[in-house]
PDB file of all heavy atoms in Angstrom:
ATOM      1  N   ALA P 638       9.099   7.739   0.037  1.00 97.00           N
ATOM      2  CA  ALA P 638      10.235   8.067  -0.825  1.00 97.00           C
ATOM      3  C   ALA P 638      11.510   8.247   0.000  1.00 97.00           C
ATOM      4  O   ALA P 638      12.583   7.819  -0.387  1.00 97.00           O
ATOM      5  CB  ALA P 638       9.931   9.332  -1.628  1.00 97.00           C
ATOM      6  N   PHE P 639      11.379   8.899   1.156  1.00 97.00           N
ATOM      7  CA  PHE P 639      12.561   9.123   1.980  1.00 97.00           C
ATOM      8  C   PHE P 639      13.096   7.804   2.545  1.00 97.00           C
ATOM      9  O   PHE P 639      14.297   7.574   2.551  1.00 97.00           O
ATOM     10  CB  PHE P 639      12.265  10.108   3.127  1.00 97.00           C
ATOM     11  CG  PHE P 639      13.544  10.551   3.802  1.00 97.00           C
ATOM     12  CD1 PHE P 639      14.342  11.506   3.201  1.00 97.00           C
ATOM     13  CD2 PHE P 639      13.918  10.009   5.022  1.00 97.00           C
ATOM     14  CE1 PHE P 639      15.516  11.914   3.814  1.00 97.00           C
ATOM     15  CE2 PHE P 639      15.097  10.406   5.626  1.00 97.00           C
ATOM     16  CZ  PHE P 639      15.905  11.359   5.034  1.00 97.00           C
ATOM     17  N   TYR P 640      12.205   6.919   2.973  1.00 97.00           N
ATOM     18  CA  TYR P 640      12.645   5.617   3.501  1.00 97.00           C
ATOM     19  C   TYR P 640      13.380   4.808   2.441  1.00 97.00           C
ATOM     20  O   TYR P 640      14.429   4.244   2.689  1.00 97.00           O
ATOM     21  CB  TYR P 640      11.451   4.831   4.050  1.00 97.00           C
ATOM     22  CG  TYR P 640      11.845   3.436   4.498  1.00 97.00           C
ATOM     23  CD1 TYR P 640      12.506   3.238   5.702  1.00 97.00           C
ATOM     24  CD2 TYR P 640      11.580   2.310   3.712  1.00 97.00           C
ATOM     25  CE1 TYR P 640      12.862   1.984   6.132  1.00 97.00           C
ATOM     26  CE2 TYR P 640      11.960   1.049   4.117  1.00 97.00           C
ATOM     27  CZ  TYR P 640      12.591   0.893   5.327  1.00 97.00           C
ATOM     28  OH  TYR P 640      12.978  -0.374   5.710  1.00 97.00           O
ATOM     29  N   HIS P 641      12.803   4.744   1.236  1.00 97.00           N
ATOM     30  CA  HIS P 641      13.367   3.899   0.189  1.00 97.00           C
ATOM     31  C   HIS P 641      14.529   4.543  -0.563  1.00 97.00           C
ATOM     32  O   HIS P 641      15.457   3.851  -1.001  1.00 97.00           O
ATOM     33  CB  HIS P 641      12.293   3.483  -0.801  1.00 97.00           C
ATOM     34  CG  HIS P 641      11.394   2.454  -0.230  1.00 97.00           C
ATOM     35  ND1 HIS P 641      10.184   2.774   0.372  1.00 97.00           N
ATOM     36  CD2 HIS P 641      11.499   1.114  -0.129  1.00 97.00           C
ATOM     37  CE1 HIS P 641       9.607   1.668   0.799  1.00 97.00           C
ATOM     38  NE2 HIS P 641      10.369   0.644   0.511  1.00 97.00           N
ATOM     39  N   TYR P 642      14.497   5.880  -0.744  1.00 96.00           N
ATOM     40  CA  TYR P 642      15.506   6.521  -1.594  1.00 96.00           C
ATOM     41  C   TYR P 642      16.263   7.664  -0.938  1.00 96.00           C
ATOM     42  O   TYR P 642      17.066   8.315  -1.585  1.00 96.00           O
ATOM     43  CB  TYR P 642      14.820   7.024  -2.878  1.00 96.00           C
ATOM     44  CG  TYR P 642      14.095   5.933  -3.607  1.00 96.00           C
ATOM     45  CD1 TYR P 642      12.701   5.902  -3.640  1.00 96.00           C
ATOM     46  CD2 TYR P 642      14.789   4.913  -4.252  1.00 96.00           C
ATOM     47  CE1 TYR P 642      12.034   4.878  -4.308  1.00 96.00           C
ATOM     48  CE2 TYR P 642      14.120   3.884  -4.891  1.00 96.00           C
ATOM     49  CZ  TYR P 642      12.736   3.888  -4.930  1.00 96.00           C
ATOM     50  OH  TYR P 642      12.084   2.885  -5.569  1.00 96.00           O
ATOM     51  N   LYS P 643      15.964   7.944   0.306  1.00 97.00           N
ATOM     52  CA  LYS P 643      16.611   9.027   1.040  1.00 97.00           C
ATOM     53  C   LYS P 643      16.483  10.380   0.347  1.00 97.00           C
ATOM     54  O   LYS P 643      17.371  11.196   0.340  1.00 97.00           O
ATOM     55  CB  LYS P 643      18.102   8.727   1.293  1.00 97.00           C
ATOM     56  CG  LYS P 643      18.371   7.425   2.020  1.00 97.00           C
ATOM     57  CD  LYS P 643      17.764   7.418   3.396  1.00 97.00           C
ATOM     58  CE  LYS P 643      18.036   6.134   4.121  1.00 97.00           C
ATOM     59  NZ  LYS P 643      16.863   5.320   4.378  1.00 97.00           N
ATOM     60  N   GLU P 644      15.298  10.572  -0.257  1.00 95.00           N
ATOM     61  CA  GLU P 644      15.011  11.876  -0.857  1.00 95.00           C
ATOM     62  C   GLU P 644      13.519  12.189  -0.707  1.00 95.00           C
ATOM     63  O   GLU P 644      12.693  11.290  -0.658  1.00 95.00           O
ATOM     64  CB  GLU P 644      15.448  11.946  -2.307  1.00 95.00           C
ATOM     65  CG  GLU P 644      14.794  10.949  -3.234  1.00 95.00           C
ATOM     66  CD  GLU P 644      15.330  11.066  -4.658  1.00 95.00           C
ATOM     67  OE1 GLU P 644      16.487  10.715  -4.880  1.00 95.00           O
ATOM     68  OE2 GLU P 644      14.559  11.516  -5.525  1.00 95.00           O
ATOM     69  N   LYS P 645      13.218  13.456  -0.630  1.00 93.00           N
ATOM     70  CA  LYS P 645      11.844  13.924  -0.494  1.00 93.00           C
ATOM     71  C   LYS P 645      11.255  14.165  -1.853  1.00 93.00           C
ATOM     72  O   LYS P 645      11.076  15.310  -2.269  1.00 93.00           O
ATOM     73  CB  LYS P 645      11.795  15.175   0.373  1.00 93.00           C
ATOM     74  CG  LYS P 645      12.254  14.944   1.791  1.00 93.00           C
ATOM     75  CD  LYS P 645      12.326  16.238   2.562  1.00 93.00           C
ATOM     76  CE  LYS P 645      12.967  15.992   3.925  1.00 93.00           C
ATOM     77  NZ  LYS P 645      13.262  17.256   4.591  1.00 93.00           N
ATOM     78  N   ASN P 646      10.980  13.103  -2.551  1.00 93.00           N
ATOM     79  CA  ASN P 646      10.477  13.155  -3.935  1.00 93.00           C
ATOM     80  C   ASN P 646       9.255  12.267  -4.056  1.00 93.00           C
ATOM     81  O   ASN P 646       9.373  11.067  -4.248  1.00 93.00           O
ATOM     82  CB  ASN P 646      11.604  12.704  -4.881  1.00 93.00           C
ATOM     83  CG  ASN P 646      11.184  12.807  -6.330  1.00 93.00           C
ATOM     84  OD1 ASN P 646      10.034  13.051  -6.652  1.00 93.00           O
ATOM     85  ND2 ASN P 646      12.132  12.586  -7.222  1.00 93.00           N
ATOM     86  N   PRO P 647       8.049  12.838  -3.947  1.00 93.00           N
ATOM     87  CA  PRO P 647       6.844  12.018  -3.988  1.00 93.00           C
ATOM     88  C   PRO P 647       6.660  11.212  -5.288  1.00 93.00           C
ATOM     89  O   PRO P 647       5.940  10.226  -5.287  1.00 93.00           O
ATOM     90  CB  PRO P 647       5.718  13.014  -3.782  1.00 93.00           C
ATOM     91  CG  PRO P 647       6.295  14.357  -3.883  1.00 93.00           C
ATOM     92  CD  PRO P 647       7.787  14.249  -3.766  1.00 93.00           C
ATOM     93  N   SER P 648       7.320  11.617  -6.366  1.00 92.00           N
ATOM     94  CA  SER P 648       7.172  10.850  -7.596  1.00 92.00           C
ATOM     95  C   SER P 648       7.836   9.481  -7.481  1.00 92.00           C
ATOM     96  O   SER P 648       7.594   8.602  -8.299  1.00 92.00           O
ATOM     97  CB  SER P 648       7.735  11.606  -8.794  1.00 92.00           C
ATOM     98  OG  SER P 648       9.138  11.698  -8.725  1.00 92.00           O
ATOM     99  N   ARG P 649       8.661   9.299  -6.468  1.00 95.00           N
ATOM    100  CA  ARG P 649       9.316   8.007  -6.265  1.00 95.00           C
ATOM    101  C   ARG P 649       8.621   7.188  -5.168  1.00 95.00           C
ATOM    102  O   ARG P 649       9.061   6.082  -4.831  1.00 95.00           O
ATOM    103  CB  ARG P 649      10.783   8.200  -5.894  1.00 95.00           C
ATOM    104  CG  ARG P 649      11.556   8.861  -7.048  1.00 95.00           C
ATOM    105  CD  ARG P 649      13.023   8.888  -6.778  1.00 95.00           C
ATOM    106  NE  ARG P 649      13.583   7.585  -7.126  1.00 95.00           N
ATOM    107  CZ  ARG P 649      14.811   7.216  -6.784  1.00 95.00           C
ATOM    108  NH1 ARG P 649      15.601   8.029  -6.111  1.00 95.00           N
ATOM    109  NH2 ARG P 649      15.260   6.015  -7.126  1.00 95.00           N
ATOM    110  N   ALA P 650       7.541   7.714  -4.626  1.00 96.00           N
ATOM    111  CA  ALA P 650       6.823   7.001  -3.556  1.00 96.00           C
ATOM    112  C   ALA P 650       6.150   5.754  -4.124  1.00 96.00           C
ATOM    113  O   ALA P 650       5.738   5.708  -5.272  1.00 96.00           O
ATOM    114  CB  ALA P 650       5.780   7.931  -2.930  1.00 96.00           C
ATOM    115  N   LEU P 651       6.010   4.758  -3.250  1.00 96.00           N
ATOM    116  CA  LEU P 651       5.367   3.500  -3.629  1.00 96.00           C
ATOM    117  C   LEU P 651       3.936   3.444  -3.134  1.00 96.00           C
ATOM    118  O   LEU P 651       3.289   2.394  -3.139  1.00 96.00           O
ATOM    119  CB  LEU P 651       6.199   2.333  -3.105  1.00 96.00           C
ATOM    120  CG  LEU P 651       7.688   2.409  -3.530  1.00 96.00           C
ATOM    121  CD1 LEU P 651       8.484   1.293  -2.894  1.00 96.00           C
ATOM    122  CD2 LEU P 651       7.846   2.432  -5.030  1.00 96.00           C
ATOM    123  N   ILE P 652       3.451   4.563  -2.673  1.00 97.00           N
ATOM    124  CA  ILE P 652       2.045   4.781  -2.319  1.00 97.00           C
ATOM    125  C   ILE P 652       1.627   6.027  -3.124  1.00 97.00           C
ATOM    126  O   ILE P 652       2.466   6.871  -3.417  1.00 97.00           O
ATOM    127  CB  ILE P 652       1.851   5.006  -0.804  1.00 97.00           C
ATOM    128  CG1 ILE P 652       0.372   5.206  -0.463  1.00 97.00           C
ATOM    129  CG2 ILE P 652       2.697   6.145  -0.275  1.00 97.00           C
ATOM    130  CD1 ILE P 652       0.100   5.289   1.066  1.00 97.00           C
ATOM    131  N   ARG P 653       0.380   6.096  -3.482  1.00 95.00           N
ATOM    132  CA  ARG P 653      -0.097   7.234  -4.270  1.00 95.00           C
ATOM    133  C   ARG P 653      -1.316   7.871  -3.605  1.00 95.00           C
ATOM    134  O   ARG P 653      -2.200   7.167  -3.142  1.00 95.00           O
ATOM    135  CB  ARG P 653      -0.502   6.785  -5.674  1.00 95.00           C
ATOM    136  CG  ARG P 653       0.611   6.343  -6.562  1.00 95.00           C
ATOM    137  CD  ARG P 653       1.246   7.540  -7.218  1.00 95.00           C
ATOM    138  NE  ARG P 653       2.405   7.133  -7.974  1.00 95.00           N
ATOM    139  CZ  ARG P 653       3.664   7.269  -7.556  1.00 95.00           C
ATOM    140  NH1 ARG P 653       3.930   7.781  -6.414  1.00 95.00           N
ATOM    141  NH2 ARG P 653       4.670   6.891  -8.306  1.00 95.00           N
ATOM    142  N   ILE P 654      -1.355   9.175  -3.654  1.00 96.00           N
ATOM    143  CA  ILE P 654      -2.565   9.907  -3.280  1.00 96.00           C
ATOM    144  C   ILE P 654      -3.170  10.372  -4.594  1.00 96.00           C
ATOM    145  O   ILE P 654      -2.550  11.121  -5.347  1.00 96.00           O
ATOM    146  CB  ILE P 654      -2.261  11.106  -2.356  1.00 96.00           C
ATOM    147  CG1 ILE P 654      -1.586  10.627  -1.070  1.00 96.00           C
ATOM    148  CG2 ILE P 654      -3.563  11.866  -2.047  1.00 96.00           C
ATOM    149  CD1 ILE P 654      -2.375   9.626  -0.267  1.00 96.00           C
ATOM    150  N   VAL P 655      -4.348   9.905  -4.865  1.00 94.00           N
ATOM    151  CA  VAL P 655      -5.059  10.237  -6.120  1.00 94.00           C
ATOM    152  C   VAL P 655      -6.140  11.241  -5.792  1.00 94.00           C
ATOM    153  O   VAL P 655      -6.960  11.021  -4.890  1.00 94.00           O
ATOM    154  CB  VAL P 655      -5.678   8.966  -6.751  1.00 94.00           C
ATOM    155  CG1 VAL P 655      -6.475   9.319  -7.991  1.00 94.00           C
ATOM    156  CG2 VAL P 655      -4.602   7.945  -7.076  1.00 94.00           C
ATOM    157  N   LYS P 656      -6.118  12.360  -6.503  1.00 92.00           N
ATOM    158  CA  LYS P 656      -7.119  13.388  -6.310  1.00 92.00           C
ATOM    159  C   LYS P 656      -8.303  13.126  -7.228  1.00 92.00           C
ATOM    160  O   LYS P 656      -8.157  13.078  -8.414  1.00 92.00           O
ATOM    161  CB  LYS P 656      -6.521  14.773  -6.610  1.00 92.00           C
ATOM    162  CG  LYS P 656      -7.467  15.912  -6.359  1.00 92.00           C
ATOM    163  CD  LYS P 656      -6.786  17.252  -6.524  1.00 92.00           C
ATOM    164  CE  LYS P 656      -6.259  17.882  -5.277  1.00 92.00           C
ATOM    165  NZ  LYS P 656      -6.902  17.696  -4.033  1.00 92.00           N
ATOM    166  N   LEU P 657      -9.453  12.895  -6.615  1.00 90.00           N
ATOM    167  CA  LEU P 657     -10.685  12.705  -7.376  1.00 90.00           C
ATOM    168  C   LEU P 657     -11.396  14.062  -7.487  1.00 90.00           C
ATOM    169  O   LEU P 657     -12.096  14.473  -6.573  1.00 90.00           O
ATOM    170  CB  LEU P 657     -11.587  11.677  -6.692  1.00 90.00           C
ATOM    171  CG  LEU P 657     -11.021  10.275  -6.494  1.00 90.00           C
ATOM    172  CD1 LEU P 657     -12.016   9.394  -5.761  1.00 90.00           C
ATOM    173  CD2 LEU P 657     -10.629   9.654  -7.832  1.00 90.00           C
ATOM    174  N   GLU P 658     -11.115  14.748  -8.539  1.00 84.00           N
ATOM    175  CA  GLU P 658     -11.640  16.088  -8.753  1.00 84.00           C
ATOM    176  C   GLU P 658     -13.162  16.112  -8.716  1.00 84.00           C
ATOM    177  O   GLU P 658     -13.751  17.027  -8.140  1.00 84.00           O
ATOM    178  CB  GLU P 658     -11.141  16.675 -10.076  1.00 84.00           C
ATOM    179  CG  GLU P 658      -9.653  16.844 -10.171  1.00 84.00           C
ATOM    180  CD  GLU P 658      -9.103  17.948  -9.287  1.00 84.00           C
ATOM    181  OE1 GLU P 658      -9.867  18.796  -8.836  1.00 84.00           O
ATOM    182  OE2 GLU P 658      -7.890  17.958  -9.040  1.00 84.00           O
ATOM    183  N   ASN P 659     -13.786  15.120  -9.347  1.00 85.00           N
ATOM    184  CA  ASN P 659     -15.246  15.092  -9.416  1.00 85.00           C
ATOM    185  C   ASN P 659     -15.910  14.882  -8.045  1.00 85.00           C
ATOM    186  O   ASN P 659     -17.075  15.195  -7.867  1.00 85.00           O
ATOM    187  CB  ASN P 659     -15.730  14.063 -10.434  1.00 85.00           C
ATOM    188  CG  ASN P 659     -15.302  12.659 -10.058  1.00 85.00           C
ATOM    189  OD1 ASN P 659     -14.337  12.437  -9.334  1.00 85.00           O
ATOM    190  ND2 ASN P 659     -16.006  11.682 -10.584  1.00 85.00           N
ATOM    191  N   LYS P 660     -15.151  14.331  -7.102  1.00 80.00           N
ATOM    192  CA  LYS P 660     -15.714  14.109  -5.781  1.00 80.00           C
ATOM    193  C   LYS P 660     -15.058  15.012  -4.715  1.00 80.00           C
ATOM    194  O   LYS P 660     -15.361  14.905  -3.536  1.00 80.00           O
ATOM    195  CB  LYS P 660     -15.531  12.665  -5.365  1.00 80.00           C
ATOM    196  CG  LYS P 660     -16.347  11.700  -6.203  1.00 80.00           C
ATOM    197  CD  LYS P 660     -16.293  10.310  -5.678  1.00 80.00           C
ATOM    198  CE  LYS P 660     -17.158   9.404  -6.550  1.00 80.00           C
ATOM    199  NZ  LYS P 660     -17.190   8.046  -6.081  1.00 80.00           N
ATOM    200  N   LEU P 661     -14.138  15.868  -5.171  1.00 84.00           N
ATOM    201  CA  LEU P 661     -13.439  16.770  -4.268  1.00 84.00           C
ATOM    202  C   LEU P 661     -12.825  16.016  -3.081  1.00 84.00           C
ATOM    203  O   LEU P 661     -12.989  16.384  -1.926  1.00 84.00           O
ATOM    204  CB  LEU P 661     -14.354  17.901  -3.772  1.00 84.00           C
ATOM    205  CG  LEU P 661     -14.970  18.769  -4.864  1.00 84.00           C
ATOM    206  CD1 LEU P 661     -15.975  19.715  -4.274  1.00 84.00           C
ATOM    207  CD2 LEU P 661     -13.896  19.536  -5.626  1.00 84.00           C
ATOM    208  N   ARG P 662     -12.116  14.938  -3.425  1.00 89.00           N
ATOM    209  CA  ARG P 662     -11.569  14.076  -2.382  1.00 89.00           C
ATOM    210  C   ARG P 662     -10.227  13.522  -2.803  1.00 89.00           C
ATOM    211  O   ARG P 662      -9.976  13.327  -3.993  1.00 89.00           O
ATOM    212  CB  ARG P 662     -12.567  12.954  -2.125  1.00 89.00           C
ATOM    213  CG  ARG P 662     -12.084  11.957  -1.135  1.00 89.00           C
ATOM    214  CD  ARG P 662     -13.083  10.957  -0.677  1.00 89.00           C
ATOM    215  NE  ARG P 662     -14.217  10.713  -1.513  1.00 89.00           N
ATOM    216  CZ  ARG P 662     -15.230   9.940  -1.133  1.00 89.00           C
ATOM    217  NH1 ARG P 662     -15.245   9.416   0.036  1.00 89.00           N
ATOM    218  NH2 ARG P 662     -16.227   9.713  -1.932  1.00 89.00           N
ATOM    219  N   ASP P 663      -9.372  13.256  -1.847  1.00 93.00           N
ATOM    220  CA  ASP P 663      -8.099  12.590  -2.067  1.00 93.00           C
ATOM    221  C   ASP P 663      -8.220  11.167  -1.582  1.00 93.00           C
ATOM    222  O   ASP P 663      -8.820  10.910  -0.527  1.00 93.00           O
ATOM    223  CB  ASP P 663      -6.969  13.312  -1.327  1.00 93.00           C
ATOM    224  CG  ASP P 663      -6.773  14.728  -1.828  1.00 93.00           C
ATOM    225  OD1 ASP P 663      -6.367  14.848  -2.995  1.00 93.00           O
ATOM    226  OD2 ASP P 663      -6.998  15.673  -1.072  1.00 93.00           O
ATOM    227  N   VAL P 664      -7.628  10.214  -2.318  1.00 94.00           N
ATOM    228  CA  VAL P 664      -7.741   8.815  -1.972  1.00 94.00           C
ATOM    229  C   VAL P 664      -6.324   8.188  -1.942  1.00 94.00           C
ATOM    230  O   VAL P 664      -5.601   8.244  -2.940  1.00 94.00           O
ATOM    231  CB  VAL P 664      -8.608   8.061  -3.015  1.00 94.00           C
ATOM    232  CG1 VAL P 664      -8.667   6.579  -2.699  1.00 94.00           C
ATOM    233  CG2 VAL P 664      -9.997   8.649  -3.070  1.00 94.00           C
ATOM    234  N   PRO P 665      -5.972   7.612  -0.801  1.00 96.00           N
ATOM    235  CA  PRO P 665      -4.681   6.896  -0.771  1.00 96.00           C
ATOM    236  C   PRO P 665      -4.828   5.553  -1.492  1.00 96.00           C
ATOM    237  O   PRO P 665      -5.796   4.822  -1.276  1.00 96.00           O
ATOM    238  CB  PRO P 665      -4.433   6.671   0.724  1.00 96.00           C
ATOM    239  CG  PRO P 665      -5.721   6.920   1.410  1.00 96.00           C
ATOM    240  CD  PRO P 665      -6.618   7.645   0.478  1.00 96.00           C
ATOM    241  N   VAL P 666      -3.885   5.245  -2.359  1.00 95.00           N
ATOM    242  CA  VAL P 666      -3.898   3.988  -3.114  1.00 95.00           C
ATOM    243  C   VAL P 666      -2.620   3.225  -2.742  1.00 95.00           C
ATOM    244  O   VAL P 666      -1.529   3.751  -2.887  1.00 95.00           O
ATOM    245  CB  VAL P 666      -3.953   4.210  -4.644  1.00 95.00           C
ATOM    246  CG1 VAL P 666      -3.969   2.898  -5.380  1.00 95.00           C
ATOM    247  CG2 VAL P 666      -5.171   5.043  -5.024  1.00 95.00           C
ATOM    248  N   VAL P 667      -2.819   2.008  -2.242  1.00 96.00           N
ATOM    249  CA  VAL P 667      -1.694   1.199  -1.780  1.00 96.00           C
ATOM    250  C   VAL P 667      -1.713  -0.154  -2.469  1.00 96.00           C
ATOM    251  O   VAL P 667      -2.769  -0.593  -2.950  1.00 96.00           O
ATOM    252  CB  VAL P 667      -1.734   0.982  -0.230  1.00 96.00           C
ATOM    253  CG1 VAL P 667      -1.616   2.312   0.490  1.00 96.00           C
ATOM    254  CG2 VAL P 667      -2.990   0.243   0.199  1.00 96.00           C
ATOM    255  N   CYS P 668      -0.581  -0.805  -2.466  1.00 96.00           N
ATOM    256  CA  CYS P 668      -0.513  -2.172  -2.982  1.00 96.00           C
ATOM    257  C   CYS P 668      -1.286  -3.047  -1.996  1.00 96.00           C
ATOM    258  O   CYS P 668      -1.112  -2.933  -0.784  1.00 96.00           O
ATOM    259  CB  CYS P 668       0.938  -2.637  -3.090  1.00 96.00           C
ATOM    260  SG  CYS P 668       1.083  -4.357  -3.602  1.00 96.00           S
ATOM    261  N   ARG P 669      -2.109  -3.910  -2.513  1.00 93.00           N
ATOM    262  CA  ARG P 669      -2.912  -4.793  -1.675  1.00 93.00           C
ATOM    263  C   ARG P 669      -2.186  -6.107  -1.370  1.00 93.00           C
ATOM    264  O   ARG P 669      -2.713  -6.941  -0.632  1.00 93.00           O
ATOM    265  CB  ARG P 669      -4.252  -5.114  -2.364  1.00 93.00           C
ATOM    266  CG  ARG P 669      -5.014  -3.873  -2.791  1.00 93.00           C
ATOM    267  CD  ARG P 669      -5.797  -3.279  -1.631  1.00 93.00           C
ATOM    268  NE  ARG P 669      -6.462  -2.047  -2.004  1.00 93.00           N
ATOM    269  CZ  ARG P 669      -7.733  -1.943  -2.309  1.00 93.00           C
ATOM    270  NH1 ARG P 669      -8.499  -3.009  -2.293  1.00 93.00           N
ATOM    271  NH2 ARG P 669      -8.256  -0.786  -2.621  1.00 93.00           N
ATOM    272  N   HIS P 670      -1.029  -6.322  -1.986  1.00 95.00           N
ATOM    273  CA  HIS P 670      -0.299  -7.582  -1.766  1.00 95.00           C
ATOM    274  C   HIS P 670      -1.264  -8.759  -1.903  1.00 95.00           C
ATOM    275  O   HIS P 670      -1.408  -9.596  -0.998  1.00 95.00           O
ATOM    276  CB  HIS P 670       0.457  -7.575  -0.450  1.00 95.00           C
ATOM    277  CG  HIS P 670       1.413  -6.433  -0.354  1.00 95.00           C
ATOM    278  ND1 HIS P 670       2.655  -6.487  -0.948  1.00 95.00           N
ATOM    279  CD2 HIS P 670       1.290  -5.197   0.183  1.00 95.00           C
ATOM    280  CE1 HIS P 670       3.255  -5.328  -0.729  1.00 95.00           C
ATOM    281  NE2 HIS P 670       2.458  -4.527  -0.089  1.00 95.00           N
ATOM    282  N   CYS P 671      -1.943  -8.759  -3.037  1.00 93.00           N
ATOM    283  CA  CYS P 671      -3.036  -9.695  -3.330  1.00 93.00           C
ATOM    284  C   CYS P 671      -2.689 -11.150  -2.973  1.00 93.00           C
ATOM    285  O   CYS P 671      -1.549 -11.597  -3.166  1.00 93.00           O
ATOM    286  CB  CYS P 671      -3.401  -9.649  -4.807  1.00 93.00           C
ATOM    287  SG  CYS P 671      -3.836  -8.007  -5.405  1.00 93.00           S
ATOM    288  N   GLY P 672      -3.714 -11.874  -2.511  1.00 91.00           N
ATOM    289  CA  GLY P 672      -3.522 -13.286  -2.213  1.00 91.00           C
ATOM    290  C   GLY P 672      -3.101 -14.052  -3.466  1.00 91.00           C
ATOM    291  O   GLY P 672      -2.159 -14.830  -3.443  1.00 91.00           O
ATOM    292  N   LYS P 673      -3.813 -13.813  -4.547  1.00 94.00           N
ATOM    293  CA  LYS P 673      -3.481 -14.410  -5.849  1.00 94.00           C
ATOM    294  C   LYS P 673      -3.027 -13.227  -6.719  1.00 94.00           C
ATOM    295  O   LYS P 673      -3.809 -12.696  -7.497  1.00 94.00           O
ATOM    296  CB  LYS P 673      -4.691 -15.115  -6.427  1.00 94.00           C
ATOM    297  CG  LYS P 673      -4.389 -15.908  -7.677  1.00 94.00           C
ATOM    298  CD  LYS P 673      -5.599 -16.662  -8.152  1.00 94.00           C
ATOM    299  CE  LYS P 673      -5.246 -17.390  -9.443  1.00 94.00           C
ATOM    300  NZ  LYS P 673      -6.376 -18.065 -10.048  1.00 94.00           N
TER     301      LYS P 673
END
Side-chain angles (χ1 to χ4, degrees):
F639 192 77
Y640 175 77
H641 286 94
Y642 304 110
K643 304 298 181 247
E644 61 182 70
K645 296 174 188 170
N646 182 352
S648 70
R649 297 188 81 191
L651 307 176
I652 181 174
R653 291 276 175 259
I654 301 301
V655 176
K656 184 174 264 328
L657 300 178
E658 298 289 344
N659 60 338
K660 293 188 179 182
L661 301 173
R662 176 171 21 187
D663 296 295
V664 177
V666 180
V667 298
C668 177
R669 306 279 176 101
H670 301 279
C671 305
K673 188 176 178 185

